[in-house]
Structures are given as structure tokens and as C-alpha cells.
PDB file of all heavy atoms in Angstrom:
ATOM      1  N   ARG A 814       0.838  -1.213   0.000  1.00  0.00           N
ATOM      2  CA  ARG A 814       0.000   0.000   0.000  1.00  0.00           C
ATOM      3  C   ARG A 814       0.871   1.261   0.000  1.00  0.00           C
ATOM      4  O   ARG A 814       0.557   2.249  -0.677  1.00  0.00           O
ATOM      5  CB  ARG A 814      -0.913  -0.027   1.233  1.00  0.00           C
ATOM      6  CG  ARG A 814      -2.022   1.009   1.237  1.00  0.00           C
ATOM      7  CD  ARG A 814      -3.093   0.666   0.232  1.00  0.00           C
ATOM      8  NE  ARG A 814      -4.187   1.603   0.181  1.00  0.00           N
ATOM      9  CZ  ARG A 814      -5.320   1.420   0.828  1.00  0.00           C
ATOM     10  NH1 ARG A 814      -5.513   0.299   1.541  1.00  0.00           N
ATOM     11  NH2 ARG A 814      -6.289   2.296   0.725  1.00  0.00           N
ATOM     12  N   ASP A 815       1.954   1.228   0.755  1.00  0.00           N
ATOM     13  CA  ASP A 815       2.885   2.364   0.787  1.00  0.00           C
ATOM     14  C   ASP A 815       3.431   2.658  -0.597  1.00  0.00           C
ATOM     15  O   ASP A 815       3.501   3.809  -1.027  1.00  0.00           O
ATOM     16  CB  ASP A 815       4.052   2.074   1.744  1.00  0.00           C
ATOM     17  CG  ASP A 815       3.693   2.350   3.199  1.00  0.00           C
ATOM     18  OD1 ASP A 815       2.541   2.749   3.448  1.00  0.00           O
ATOM     19  OD2 ASP A 815       4.564   2.171   4.076  1.00  0.00           O
ATOM     20  N   PHE A 816       3.834   1.588  -1.298  1.00  0.00           N
ATOM     21  CA  PHE A 816       4.409   1.763  -2.631  1.00  0.00           C
ATOM     22  C   PHE A 816       3.373   2.327  -3.598  1.00  0.00           C
ATOM     23  O   PHE A 816       3.671   3.228  -4.387  1.00  0.00           O
ATOM     24  CB  PHE A 816       4.945   0.423  -3.160  1.00  0.00           C
ATOM     25  CG  PHE A 816       5.612   0.526  -4.507  1.00  0.00           C
ATOM     26  CD1 PHE A 816       6.934   0.939  -4.608  1.00  0.00           C
ATOM     27  CD2 PHE A 816       4.931   0.236  -5.674  1.00  0.00           C
ATOM     28  CE1 PHE A 816       7.548   1.064  -5.851  1.00  0.00           C
ATOM     29  CE2 PHE A 816       5.536   0.347  -6.913  1.00  0.00           C
ATOM     30  CZ  PHE A 816       6.847   0.755  -7.001  1.00  0.00           C
ATOM     31  N   LEU A 817       2.135   1.831  -3.525  1.00  0.00           N
ATOM     32  CA  LEU A 817       1.084   2.273  -4.440  1.00  0.00           C
ATOM     33  C   LEU A 817       0.756   3.741  -4.238  1.00  0.00           C
ATOM     34  O   LEU A 817       0.606   4.500  -5.199  1.00  0.00           O
ATOM     35  CB  LEU A 817      -0.184   1.434  -4.236  1.00  0.00           C
ATOM     36  CG  LEU A 817      -0.113  -0.059  -4.591  1.00  0.00           C
ATOM     37  CD1 LEU A 817      -1.446  -0.729  -4.343  1.00  0.00           C
ATOM     38  CD2 LEU A 817       0.314  -0.263  -6.026  1.00  0.00           C
ATOM     39  N   GLU A 818       0.632   4.160  -2.981  1.00  0.00           N
ATOM     40  CA  GLU A 818       0.160   5.519  -2.696  1.00  0.00           C
ATOM     41  C   GLU A 818       1.297   6.536  -2.584  1.00  0.00           C
ATOM     42  O   GLU A 818       1.156   7.666  -3.041  1.00  0.00           O
ATOM     43  CB  GLU A 818      -0.678   5.503  -1.410  1.00  0.00           C
ATOM     44  CG  GLU A 818      -1.984   4.710  -1.574  1.00  0.00           C
ATOM     45  CD  GLU A 818      -2.863   4.733  -0.341  1.00  0.00           C
ATOM     46  OE1 GLU A 818      -2.510   5.434   0.639  1.00  0.00           O
ATOM     47  OE2 GLU A 818      -3.898   4.036  -0.332  1.00  0.00           O
ATOM     48  N   LYS A 819       2.395   6.136  -1.962  1.00  0.00           N
ATOM     49  CA  LYS A 819       3.491   7.082  -1.718  1.00  0.00           C
ATOM     50  C   LYS A 819       4.487   7.143  -2.877  1.00  0.00           C
ATOM     51  O   LYS A 819       4.834   8.209  -3.382  1.00  0.00           O
ATOM     52  CB  LYS A 819       4.221   6.709  -0.423  1.00  0.00           C
ATOM     53  CG  LYS A 819       5.371   7.654  -0.038  1.00  0.00           C
ATOM     54  CD  LYS A 819       5.859   7.381   1.370  1.00  0.00           C
ATOM     55  CE  LYS A 819       6.577   6.073   1.488  1.00  0.00           C
ATOM     56  NZ  LYS A 819       7.951   6.041   0.937  1.00  0.00           N
ATOM     57  N   ASP A 820       4.965   5.970  -3.298  1.00  0.00           N
ATOM     58  CA  ASP A 820       6.010   5.931  -4.322  1.00  0.00           C
ATOM     59  C   ASP A 820       5.458   6.047  -5.741  1.00  0.00           C
ATOM     60  O   ASP A 820       6.019   6.726  -6.588  1.00  0.00           O
ATOM     61  CB  ASP A 820       6.835   4.640  -4.192  1.00  0.00           C
ATOM     62  CG  ASP A 820       7.595   4.570  -2.868  1.00  0.00           C
ATOM     63  OD1 ASP A 820       8.014   5.640  -2.387  1.00  0.00           O
ATOM     64  OD2 ASP A 820       7.759   3.473  -2.315  1.00  0.00           O
ATOM     65  N   LEU A 821       4.343   5.352  -6.005  1.00  0.00           N
ATOM     66  CA  LEU A 821       3.811   5.321  -7.371  1.00  0.00           C
ATOM     67  C   LEU A 821       2.853   6.477  -7.625  1.00  0.00           C
ATOM     68  O   LEU A 821       2.990   7.208  -8.605  1.00  0.00           O
ATOM     69  CB  LEU A 821       3.115   3.971  -7.611  1.00  0.00           C
ATOM     70  CG  LEU A 821       2.874   3.555  -9.059  1.00  0.00           C
ATOM     71  CD1 LEU A 821       4.174   3.529  -9.830  1.00  0.00           C
ATOM     72  CD2 LEU A 821       2.234   2.155  -9.102  1.00  0.00           C
ATOM     73  N   GLY A 822       1.892   6.678  -6.745  1.00  0.00           N
ATOM     74  CA  GLY A 822       0.939   7.787  -6.891  1.00  0.00           C
ATOM     75  C   GLY A 822      -0.111   7.538  -7.963  1.00  0.00           C
ATOM     76  O   GLY A 822      -0.060   6.553  -8.710  1.00  0.00           O
ATOM     77  N   ILE A 823      -1.063   8.459  -8.071  1.00  0.00           N
ATOM     78  CA  ILE A 823      -2.183   8.310  -9.012  1.00  0.00           C
ATOM     79  C   ILE A 823      -1.699   8.321 -10.459  1.00  0.00           C
ATOM     80  O   ILE A 823      -2.140   7.539 -11.297  1.00  0.00           O
ATOM     81  CB  ILE A 823      -3.232   9.430  -8.775  1.00  0.00           C
ATOM     82  CG1 ILE A 823      -3.837   9.300  -7.372  1.00  0.00           C
ATOM     83  CG2 ILE A 823      -4.333   9.385  -9.827  1.00  0.00           C
ATOM     84  CD1 ILE A 823      -4.656  10.482  -6.915  1.00  0.00           C
ATOM     85  N   GLU A 824      -0.754   9.239 -10.769  1.00  0.00           N
ATOM     86  CA  GLU A 824      -0.236   9.342 -12.137  1.00  0.00           C
ATOM     87  C   GLU A 824       0.478   8.067 -12.566  1.00  0.00           C
ATOM     88  O   GLU A 824       0.305   7.591 -13.695  1.00  0.00           O
ATOM     89  CB  GLU A 824       0.729  10.535 -12.247  1.00  0.00           C
ATOM     90  CG  GLU A 824       0.034  11.889 -12.311  1.00  0.00           C
ATOM     91  CD  GLU A 824      -0.931  12.007 -13.495  1.00  0.00           C
ATOM     92  OE1 GLU A 824      -0.516  11.707 -14.623  1.00  0.00           O
ATOM     93  OE2 GLU A 824      -2.101  12.367 -13.263  1.00  0.00           O
ATOM     94  N   GLY A 825       1.301   7.553 -11.655  1.00  0.00           N
ATOM     95  CA  GLY A 825       2.040   6.326 -11.958  1.00  0.00           C
ATOM     96  C   GLY A 825       1.127   5.126 -12.162  1.00  0.00           C
ATOM     97  O   GLY A 825       1.404   4.246 -12.989  1.00  0.00           O
ATOM     98  N   MET A 826      -0.011   5.068 -11.427  1.00  0.00           N
ATOM     99  CA  MET A 826      -0.925   3.927 -11.503  1.00  0.00           C
ATOM    100  C   MET A 826      -1.650   3.832 -12.833  1.00  0.00           C
ATOM    101  O   MET A 826      -2.027   2.750 -13.268  1.00  0.00           O
ATOM    102  CB  MET A 826      -1.965   3.986 -10.369  1.00  0.00           C
ATOM    103  CG  MET A 826      -1.536   3.371  -9.077  1.00  0.00           C
ATOM    104  SD  MET A 826      -1.154   1.615  -9.138  1.00  0.00           S
ATOM    105  CE  MET A 826      -2.769   0.885  -9.293  1.00  0.00           C
ATOM    106  N   LYS A 827      -1.868   4.984 -13.504  1.00  0.00           N
ATOM    107  CA  LYS A 827      -2.674   4.995 -14.735  1.00  0.00           C
ATOM    108  C   LYS A 827      -2.105   4.092 -15.822  1.00  0.00           C
ATOM    109  O   LYS A 827      -2.842   3.502 -16.602  1.00  0.00           O
ATOM    110  CB  LYS A 827      -2.802   6.430 -15.252  1.00  0.00           C
ATOM    111  CG  LYS A 827      -3.771   7.282 -14.436  1.00  0.00           C
ATOM    112  CD  LYS A 827      -3.848   8.694 -14.989  1.00  0.00           C
ATOM    113  CE  LYS A 827      -4.766   9.577 -14.131  1.00  0.00           C
ATOM    114  NZ  LYS A 827      -4.741  10.981 -14.600  1.00  0.00           N
ATOM    115  N   LYS A 828      -0.769   4.022 -15.899  1.00  0.00           N
ATOM    116  CA  LYS A 828      -0.152   3.193 -16.948  1.00  0.00           C
ATOM    117  C   LYS A 828       0.579   1.984 -16.357  1.00  0.00           C
ATOM    118  O   LYS A 828       1.438   1.386 -17.004  1.00  0.00           O
ATOM    119  CB  LYS A 828       0.797   4.034 -17.807  1.00  0.00           C
ATOM    120  CG  LYS A 828       1.973   4.655 -17.074  1.00  0.00           C
ATOM    121  CD  LYS A 828       2.935   5.316 -18.039  1.00  0.00           C
ATOM    122  CE  LYS A 828       4.185   5.843 -17.302  1.00  0.00           C
ATOM    123  NZ  LYS A 828       5.168   6.444 -18.225  1.00  0.00           N
ATOM    124  N   SER A 829       0.208   1.616 -15.123  1.00  0.00           N
ATOM    125  CA  SER A 829       0.924   0.542 -14.421  1.00  0.00           C
ATOM    126  C   SER A 829       0.026  -0.663 -14.141  1.00  0.00           C
ATOM    127  O   SER A 829      -1.190  -0.533 -14.007  1.00  0.00           O
ATOM    128  CB  SER A 829       1.505   1.051 -13.095  1.00  0.00           C
ATOM    129  OG  SER A 829       2.442   2.078 -13.317  1.00  0.00           O
ATOM    130  N   ILE A 830       0.678  -1.813 -14.052  1.00  0.00           N
ATOM    131  CA  ILE A 830       0.038  -3.056 -13.621  1.00  0.00           C
ATOM    132  C   ILE A 830       0.906  -3.613 -12.495  1.00  0.00           C
ATOM    133  O   ILE A 830       2.114  -3.791 -12.678  1.00  0.00           O
ATOM    134  CB  ILE A 830      -0.052  -4.065 -14.788  1.00  0.00           C
ATOM    135  CG1 ILE A 830      -0.865  -3.469 -15.947  1.00  0.00           C
ATOM    136  CG2 ILE A 830      -0.651  -5.380 -14.319  1.00  0.00           C
ATOM    137  CD1 ILE A 830      -0.529  -4.059 -17.286  1.00  0.00           C
ATOM    138  N   ILE A 831       0.304  -3.882 -11.362  1.00  0.00           N
ATOM    139  CA  ILE A 831       1.052  -4.334 -10.187  1.00  0.00           C
ATOM    140  C   ILE A 831       0.787  -5.818  -9.957  1.00  0.00           C
ATOM    141  O   ILE A 831      -0.367  -6.251  -9.914  1.00  0.00           O
ATOM    142  CB  ILE A 831       0.653  -3.546  -8.905  1.00  0.00           C
ATOM    143  CG1 ILE A 831       0.554  -2.045  -9.178  1.00  0.00           C
ATOM    144  CG2 ILE A 831       1.632  -3.837  -7.767  1.00  0.00           C
ATOM    145  CD1 ILE A 831       1.796  -1.368  -9.570  1.00  0.00           C
ATOM    146  N   VAL A 832       1.842  -6.594  -9.826  1.00  0.00           N
ATOM    147  CA  VAL A 832       1.730  -8.001  -9.433  1.00  0.00           C
ATOM    148  C   VAL A 832       2.317  -8.116  -8.035  1.00  0.00           C
ATOM    149  O   VAL A 832       3.472  -7.770  -7.811  1.00  0.00           O
ATOM    150  CB  VAL A 832       2.471  -8.940 -10.408  1.00  0.00           C
ATOM    151  CG1 VAL A 832       2.378 -10.381  -9.942  1.00  0.00           C
ATOM    152  CG2 VAL A 832       1.907  -8.802 -11.817  1.00  0.00           C
ATOM    153  N   CYS A 833       1.528  -8.609  -7.118  1.00  0.00           N
ATOM    154  CA  CYS A 833       1.915  -8.570  -5.711  1.00  0.00           C
ATOM    155  C   CYS A 833       1.826  -9.970  -5.094  1.00  0.00           C
ATOM    156  O   CYS A 833       0.760 -10.582  -5.101  1.00  0.00           O
ATOM    157  CB  CYS A 833       0.999  -7.556  -5.010  1.00  0.00           C
ATOM    158  SG  CYS A 833       0.849  -7.751  -3.323  1.00  0.00           S
ATOM    159  N   ALA A 834       2.936 -10.461  -4.588  1.00  0.00           N
ATOM    160  CA  ALA A 834       2.976 -11.746  -3.868  1.00  0.00           C
ATOM    161  C   ALA A 834       3.759 -11.506  -2.581  1.00  0.00           C
ATOM    162  O   ALA A 834       4.995 -11.546  -2.570  1.00  0.00           O
ATOM    163  CB  ALA A 834       3.634 -12.823  -4.715  1.00  0.00           C
ATOM    164  N   THR A 835       3.054 -11.206  -1.502  1.00  0.00           N
ATOM    165  CA  THR A 835       3.698 -10.822  -0.245  1.00  0.00           C
ATOM    166  C   THR A 835       4.395 -12.010   0.423  1.00  0.00           C
ATOM    167  O   THR A 835       4.189 -13.160   0.043  1.00  0.00           O
ATOM    168  CB  THR A 835       2.670 -10.199   0.722  1.00  0.00           C
ATOM    169  OG1 THR A 835       1.528 -11.068   0.809  1.00  0.00           O
ATOM    170  CG2 THR A 835       2.225  -8.835   0.229  1.00  0.00           C
ATOM    171  N   SER A 836       5.196 -11.701   1.442  1.00  0.00           N
ATOM    172  CA  SER A 836       6.055 -12.710   2.070  1.00  0.00           C
ATOM    173  C   SER A 836       5.281 -13.827   2.763  1.00  0.00           C
ATOM    174  O   SER A 836       5.817 -14.904   3.004  1.00  0.00           O
ATOM    175  CB  SER A 836       7.002 -12.039   3.082  1.00  0.00           C
ATOM    176  OG  SER A 836       6.256 -11.291   4.031  1.00  0.00           O
ATOM    177  N   ASP A 837       3.986 -13.580   3.090  1.00  0.00           N
ATOM    178  CA  ASP A 837       3.194 -14.602   3.772  1.00  0.00           C
ATOM    179  C   ASP A 837       2.614 -15.641   2.813  1.00  0.00           C
ATOM    180  O   ASP A 837       2.070 -16.658   3.261  1.00  0.00           O
ATOM    181  CB  ASP A 837       2.045 -13.946   4.557  1.00  0.00           C
ATOM    182  CG  ASP A 837       1.112 -13.163   3.633  1.00  0.00           C
ATOM    183  OD1 ASP A 837       1.611 -12.242   2.973  1.00  0.00           O
ATOM    184  OD2 ASP A 837      -0.103 -13.459   3.575  1.00  0.00           O
ATOM    185  N   LYS A 838       2.714 -15.393   1.498  1.00  0.00           N
ATOM    186  CA  LYS A 838       2.168 -16.327   0.517  1.00  0.00           C
ATOM    187  C   LYS A 838       3.074 -17.559   0.382  1.00  0.00           C
ATOM    188  O   LYS A 838       4.249 -17.535   0.755  1.00  0.00           O
ATOM    189  CB  LYS A 838       2.027 -15.646  -0.851  1.00  0.00           C
ATOM    190  CG  LYS A 838       1.087 -14.439  -0.862  1.00  0.00           C
ATOM    191  CD  LYS A 838      -0.335 -14.828  -0.530  1.00  0.00           C
ATOM    192  CE  LYS A 838      -1.266 -13.607  -0.570  1.00  0.00           C
ATOM    193  NZ  LYS A 838      -2.613 -13.951  -0.082  1.00  0.00           N
ATOM    194  N   ALA A 839       2.492 -18.627  -0.163  1.00  0.00           N
ATOM    195  CA  ALA A 839       3.252 -19.861  -0.378  1.00  0.00           C
ATOM    196  C   ALA A 839       4.451 -19.586  -1.288  1.00  0.00           C
ATOM    197  O   ALA A 839       4.401 -18.715  -2.160  1.00  0.00           O
ATOM    198  CB  ALA A 839       2.341 -20.916  -0.997  1.00  0.00           C
ATOM    199  N   ALA A 840       5.523 -20.343  -1.074  1.00  0.00           N
ATOM    200  CA  ALA A 840       6.764 -20.141  -1.845  1.00  0.00           C
ATOM    201  C   ALA A 840       6.510 -20.213  -3.344  1.00  0.00           C
ATOM    202  O   ALA A 840       7.073 -19.434  -4.126  1.00  0.00           O
ATOM    203  CB  ALA A 840       7.801 -21.184  -1.429  1.00  0.00           C
ATOM    204  N   LEU A 841       5.629 -21.120  -3.751  1.00  0.00           N
ATOM    205  CA  LEU A 841       5.349 -21.288  -5.179  1.00  0.00           C
ATOM    206  C   LEU A 841       4.633 -20.067  -5.750  1.00  0.00           C
ATOM    207  O   LEU A 841       4.878 -19.675  -6.903  1.00  0.00           O
ATOM    208  CB  LEU A 841       4.501 -22.555  -5.390  1.00  0.00           C
ATOM    209  CG  LEU A 841       4.470 -23.134  -6.810  1.00  0.00           C
ATOM    210  CD1 LEU A 841       5.875 -23.434  -7.309  1.00  0.00           C
ATOM    211  CD2 LEU A 841       3.634 -24.407  -6.858  1.00  0.00           C
ATOM    212  N   VAL A 842       3.767 -19.439  -4.963  1.00  0.00           N
ATOM    213  CA  VAL A 842       3.058 -18.233  -5.418  1.00  0.00           C
ATOM    214  C   VAL A 842       4.041 -17.072  -5.582  1.00  0.00           C
ATOM    215  O   VAL A 842       3.968 -16.312  -6.547  1.00  0.00           O
ATOM    216  CB  VAL A 842       1.923 -17.860  -4.437  1.00  0.00           C
ATOM    217  CG1 VAL A 842       1.266 -16.537  -4.831  1.00  0.00           C
ATOM    218  CG2 VAL A 842       0.882 -18.971  -4.378  1.00  0.00           C
ATOM    219  N   ARG A 843       4.986 -16.942  -4.631  1.00  0.00           N
ATOM    220  CA  ARG A 843       6.014 -15.901  -4.741  1.00  0.00           C
ATOM    221  C   ARG A 843       6.868 -16.099  -5.987  1.00  0.00           C
ATOM    222  O   ARG A 843       7.213 -15.153  -6.687  1.00  0.00           O
ATOM    223  CB  ARG A 843       6.902 -15.897  -3.494  1.00  0.00           C
ATOM    224  CG  ARG A 843       6.266 -15.205  -2.281  1.00  0.00           C
ATOM    225  CD  ARG A 843       7.178 -15.280  -1.078  1.00  0.00           C
ATOM    226  NE  ARG A 843       6.947 -16.504  -0.327  1.00  0.00           N
ATOM    227  CZ  ARG A 843       7.901 -17.219   0.265  1.00  0.00           C
ATOM    228  NH1 ARG A 843       9.164 -16.900   0.143  1.00  0.00           N
ATOM    229  NH2 ARG A 843       7.586 -18.286   0.947  1.00  0.00           N
ATOM    230  N   LEU A 844       7.191 -17.358  -6.248  1.00  0.00           N
ATOM    231  CA  LEU A 844       7.989 -17.686  -7.437  1.00  0.00           C
ATOM    232  C   LEU A 844       7.214 -17.352  -8.712  1.00  0.00           C
ATOM    233  O   LEU A 844       7.747 -16.704  -9.618  1.00  0.00           O
ATOM    234  CB  LEU A 844       8.350 -19.175  -7.408  1.00  0.00           C
ATOM    235  CG  LEU A 844       9.333 -19.653  -8.495  1.00  0.00           C
ATOM    236  CD1 LEU A 844      10.761 -19.334  -8.094  1.00  0.00           C
ATOM    237  CD2 LEU A 844       9.190 -21.161  -8.700  1.00  0.00           C
ATOM    238  N   LYS A 845       5.952 -17.775  -8.755  1.00  0.00           N
ATOM    239  CA  LYS A 845       5.129 -17.564  -9.954  1.00  0.00           C
ATOM    240  C   LYS A 845       4.818 -16.089 -10.176  1.00  0.00           C
ATOM    241  O   LYS A 845       4.562 -15.675 -11.302  1.00  0.00           O
ATOM    242  CB  LYS A 845       3.821 -18.361  -9.856  1.00  0.00           C
ATOM    243  CG  LYS A 845       4.021 -19.879  -9.830  1.00  0.00           C
ATOM    244  CD  LYS A 845       4.706 -20.375 -11.085  1.00  0.00           C
ATOM    245  CE  LYS A 845       4.979 -21.871 -11.032  1.00  0.00           C
ATOM    246  NZ  LYS A 845       5.810 -22.322 -12.184  1.00  0.00           N
ATOM    247  N   GLY A 846       4.815 -15.291  -9.104  1.00  0.00           N
ATOM    248  CA  GLY A 846       4.571 -13.856  -9.234  1.00  0.00           C
ATOM    249  C   GLY A 846       5.553 -13.203 -10.201  1.00  0.00           C
ATOM    250  O   GLY A 846       5.168 -12.345 -11.019  1.00  0.00           O
ATOM    251  N   ALA A 847       6.824 -13.608 -10.121  1.00  0.00           N
ATOM    252  CA  ALA A 847       7.852 -13.053 -11.014  1.00  0.00           C
ATOM    253  C   ALA A 847       7.578 -13.451 -12.462  1.00  0.00           C
ATOM    254  O   ALA A 847       7.703 -12.629 -13.384  1.00  0.00           O
ATOM    255  CB  ALA A 847       9.230 -13.546 -10.581  1.00  0.00           C
ATOM    256  N   PHE A 848       7.168 -14.707 -12.678  1.00  0.00           N
ATOM    257  CA  PHE A 848       6.886 -15.174 -14.041  1.00  0.00           C
ATOM    258  C   PHE A 848       5.580 -14.571 -14.573  1.00  0.00           C
ATOM    259  O   PHE A 848       5.459 -14.316 -15.775  1.00  0.00           O
ATOM    260  CB  PHE A 848       6.818 -16.704 -14.070  1.00  0.00           C
ATOM    261  CG  PHE A 848       8.159 -17.358 -13.888  1.00  0.00           C
ATOM    262  CD1 PHE A 848       8.460 -18.072 -12.737  1.00  0.00           C
ATOM    263  CD2 PHE A 848       9.132 -17.266 -14.859  1.00  0.00           C
ATOM    264  CE1 PHE A 848       9.694 -18.664 -12.567  1.00  0.00           C
ATOM    265  CE2 PHE A 848      10.383 -17.861 -14.704  1.00  0.00           C
ATOM    266  CZ  PHE A 848      10.658 -18.554 -13.547  1.00  0.00           C
ATOM    267  N   THR A 849       4.608 -14.333 -13.681  1.00  0.00           N
ATOM    268  CA  THR A 849       3.350 -13.694 -14.094  1.00  0.00           C
ATOM    269  C   THR A 849       3.620 -12.287 -14.616  1.00  0.00           C
ATOM    270  O   THR A 849       3.131 -11.907 -15.682  1.00  0.00           O
ATOM    271  CB  THR A 849       2.367 -13.639 -12.895  1.00  0.00           C
ATOM    272  OG1 THR A 849       2.036 -14.971 -12.494  1.00  0.00           O
ATOM    273  CG2 THR A 849       1.094 -12.893 -13.249  1.00  0.00           C
ATOM    274  N   ALA A 850       4.414 -11.513 -13.866  1.00  0.00           N
ATOM    275  CA  ALA A 850       4.748 -10.143 -14.281  1.00  0.00           C
ATOM    276  C   ALA A 850       5.497 -10.151 -15.609  1.00  0.00           C
ATOM    277  O   ALA A 850       5.234  -9.320 -16.494  1.00  0.00           O
ATOM    278  CB  ALA A 850       5.588  -9.472 -13.196  1.00  0.00           C
ATOM    279  N   THR A 851       6.424 -11.089 -15.776  1.00  0.00           N
ATOM    280  CA  THR A 851       7.202 -11.184 -17.017  1.00  0.00           C
ATOM    281  C   THR A 851       6.297 -11.533 -18.198  1.00  0.00           C
ATOM    282  O   THR A 851       6.441 -10.973 -19.291  1.00  0.00           O
ATOM    283  CB  THR A 851       8.331 -12.221 -16.861  1.00  0.00           C
ATOM    284  OG1 THR A 851       9.122 -11.894 -15.702  1.00  0.00           O
ATOM    285  CG2 THR A 851       9.230 -12.243 -18.073  1.00  0.00           C
ATOM    286  N   ALA A 852       5.339 -12.458 -17.979  1.00  0.00           N
ATOM    287  CA  ALA A 852       4.413 -12.857 -19.050  1.00  0.00           C
ATOM    288  C   ALA A 852       3.532 -11.679 -19.473  1.00  0.00           C
ATOM    289  O   ALA A 852       3.275 -11.482 -20.668  1.00  0.00           O
ATOM    290  CB  ALA A 852       3.550 -14.029 -18.591  1.00  0.00           C
ATOM    291  N   ILE A 853       3.066 -10.868 -18.512  1.00  0.00           N
ATOM    292  CA  ILE A 853       2.252  -9.684 -18.834  1.00  0.00           C
ATOM    293  C   ILE A 853       3.078  -8.680 -19.641  1.00  0.00           C
ATOM    294  O   ILE A 853       2.600  -8.105 -20.627  1.00  0.00           O
ATOM    295  CB  ILE A 853       1.702  -9.037 -17.541  1.00  0.00           C
ATOM    296  CG1 ILE A 853       0.694  -9.984 -16.868  1.00  0.00           C
ATOM    297  CG2 ILE A 853       1.051  -7.692 -17.826  1.00  0.00           C
ATOM    298  CD1 ILE A 853       0.293  -9.564 -15.456  1.00  0.00           C
ATOM    299  N   ALA A 854       4.338  -8.476 -19.220  1.00  0.00           N
ATOM    300  CA  ALA A 854       5.240  -7.578 -19.960  1.00  0.00           C
ATOM    301  C   ALA A 854       5.446  -8.086 -21.389  1.00  0.00           C
ATOM    302  O   ALA A 854       5.479  -7.291 -22.342  1.00  0.00           O
ATOM    303  CB  ALA A 854       6.572  -7.463 -19.223  1.00  0.00           C
TER     304      ALA A 854
END
């Protein structure tokens, strides 16, 4: 939330897609998060 509101802001969000896999998620989900973002790119 800090990154979305403080670092990225409203202007940054308009052309952005965020993939988020926090530290509490299963190891496989964290791993796949990186590949999901790459596939979207």
C-alpha cells in the first residue's frame, strides 16, 4: 500500500500493472509472481 500511494501515486498507476505476492504467501506463489509479471510484460 505504501508503494502504491506514496512511491507510485495516481499518475504512476494509470499506466501501471502491479503483481503482488507478499512474504506470507506460499513459496510457489512468490515464485510464480515473477513469471506472471514477465508474461504480462
Side-chain angles (χ1 to χ4, degrees):
R814 191 72 180 263
D815 278 1
F816 183 82
L817 294 180
E818 294 183 4
K819 182 169 70 75
D820 296 326
L821 198 57
I823 297 168
E824 283 301 309
M826 274 299 287
K827 285 180 183 175
K828 62 173 185 178
S829 298
I830 301 155
I831 316 296
V832 178
C833 158
T835 50
S836 55
D837 60 301
K838 299 297 181 187
L841 198 56
V842 175
R843 281 178 272 142
L844 187 81
K845 296 299 177 187
F848 289 111
T849 297
T851 306
I853 293 169

